[in-house]
Amino acid sequence: QLQLVESGGGLVQPGGSLRLSCAASGFTYEHYAIGWFRQAPGKEREGVSCISSDGRGIDYASSVNGRFTISRDNDKNTVYLQMNSLKPEDTANYYCALDPNGLRTCNRHEYEYWGQGTQVTVSS
């Protein structure tokens, strides 16, 4: 019933930009955090960014800090990840996940629901 659907991935050149979306549906949680994660072949899953329900608890991985921006529209149950100055190292499958108890924080990593992912490839 609960679904998280990512979109916006694709192939871009180094230095380019992409905007990922995570649309949530089929749930009644009032306060939920959303996290973005990524995984490249042969590597461990990595937390990229997250945002709390109230939009004030935000975290970024050091590798993307200053280049990526996370935001949310609670009326649309959608979270966005604006990715600028993309590097080949950013190439991965990007997933969003939902923490039902993320009112003020998002970095507890107690995410219970996961989307299927959207592929981001940065290459010339």
Side-chain angles (χ1 to χ4, degrees):
Q1 183 178 356
L2 191 153
Q3 290 186 319
L4 299 172
V5 180
E6 303 93 337
S7 62
L11 173 64
V12 297
Q13 295 183 342
S17 298
L18 285 173
R19 184 177 177 87
L20 305 184
S21 298
C22 174
S25 62
F27 67 99
T28 58
Y29 301 121
E30 296 182 11
H31 308 113
Y32 64 95
I34 292 290
W36 282 100
F37 301 82
R38 66 186 182 186
Q39 187 168 25
K43 296 184 178 181
E44 294 291 320
R45 186 181 66 200
E46 175 188 18
V48 177
S49 183
C50 64
I51 185 168
S52 64
S53 179
D54 64 9
R56 302 194 67 181
I58 294 175
D59 198 16
Y60 296 101
S62 60
S63 58
V64 308
N65 194 26
R67 299 187 296 120
F68 292 9
T69 302
I70 193 169
S71 62
R72 68 188 296 159
D73 185 339
N74 285 344
D75 291 337
K76 298 180 179 179
N77 289 329
T78 300
V79 173
Y80 306 95
L81 184 67
Q82 178 68 45
M83 306 186 297
N84 298 326
S85 302
L86 284 163
K87 305 175 181 179
E89 304 91 276
D90 296 317
T91 296
N93 199 16
Y94 283 70
Y95 304 85
C96 65
L98 185 149
D99 176 357
N101 299 308
L103 172 60
R104 296 181 176 89
T105 63
C106 67
N107 55 9
R108 301 190 305 162
H109 284 203
E110 297 181 0
Y111 294 97
E112 299 182 9
Y113 307 98
W114 294 78
Q116 294 300 308
T118 184
Q119 180 66 38
V120 172
T121 302
V122 185
S123 177
S124 59

